[in-house]
Amino acid sequence: MTLAEIYQKFENCKSWEERYRLLIQFSRQLPKPTEEELAELPEIEGCESRLWFQFQLSPRKVEAYSDARLMQGILFIVVTALTEKSVEELENFNLREMFDELKISPNLTSTRLNGISQLQKLIIV
């Protein structure tokens, strides 16, 4: 699935409940790492859920996992965006703005938004 397809799916949502269901569907798209792989991934502090994330620009590699389905769906969108965007696009890329555009941010708790902020700090170009 592409980021454009993700945006299209969210444009068709008329309520937060529809967006939430879509995030849960997306959560199934990210593969669950093995215990050994998970132990190698850095855990992100400050989020309501347990969250693991690693970003490498060159060669491009994005690894992410959460023990919460909602955050797992959010991570699917993050991984898709970070995989597709060019280095130039990533220089000005803002996760919070993307989730604002998708009309997800207003319904997230402050700790989940903090998790997104922590991810933003790890996207180093």
Side-chain angles (χ1 to χ4, degrees):
M1 178 171 291
T2 66
L3 191 57
E5 291 169 326
I6 290 170
Y7 267 84
Q8 183 60 49
K9 286 184 179 287
F10 275 98
E11 283 179 23
N12 294 332
C13 292
K14 296 181 180 20
S15 67
W16 166 242
E17 289 76 19
E18 289 180 13
R19 286 181 184 81
Y20 182 83
R21 280 193 294 276
L22 193 53
L23 286 169
I24 299 306
Q25 289 174 4
F26 287 159
S27 73
R28 299 180 187 113
Q29 301 286 328
L30 276 183
K32 181 176 181 180
T34 65
E35 290 299 322
E36 294 81 24
E37 292 169 330
L38 203 55
E40 296 295 317
L41 285 176
E43 189 168 355
I44 306 306
E45 300 295 326
C47 186
E48 186 172 316
S49 312
R50 293 191 74 192
L51 185 66
W52 294 265
F53 182 80
Q54 188 167 34
F55 174 71
Q56 179 180 303
L57 185 61
S58 183
R60 190 73 54 96
K61 185 177 177 183
V62 186
E63 297 176 284
Y65 180 73
S66 176
D67 64 352
R69 291 187 304 170
L70 178 66
M71 285 307 291
Q72 185 76 347
I74 286 171
L75 288 173
F76 172 74
I77 297 170
V78 170
V79 169
T80 302
L82 295 179
T83 301
E84 285 185 17
K85 293 198 174 287
S86 69
V87 173
E88 293 77 21
E89 290 171 317
L90 287 175
E91 288 176 359
N92 297 311
F93 181 58
N94 185 297
L95 288 174
R96 179 66 186 266
E97 287 176 9
M98 178 179 69
F99 288 114
D100 287 347
E101 291 170 1
L102 294 171
K103 299 179 184 166
I104 295 171
S105 300
N107 294 290
L108 297 178
T109 62
S110 60
T111 53
R112 291 199 194 280
L113 291 171
N114 187 50
I116 292 172
S117 295
Q118 296 304 317
L119 294 178
Q120 182 73 54
K121 293 176 185 175
L122 298 173
I123 302 170
I124 301 167
V125 179

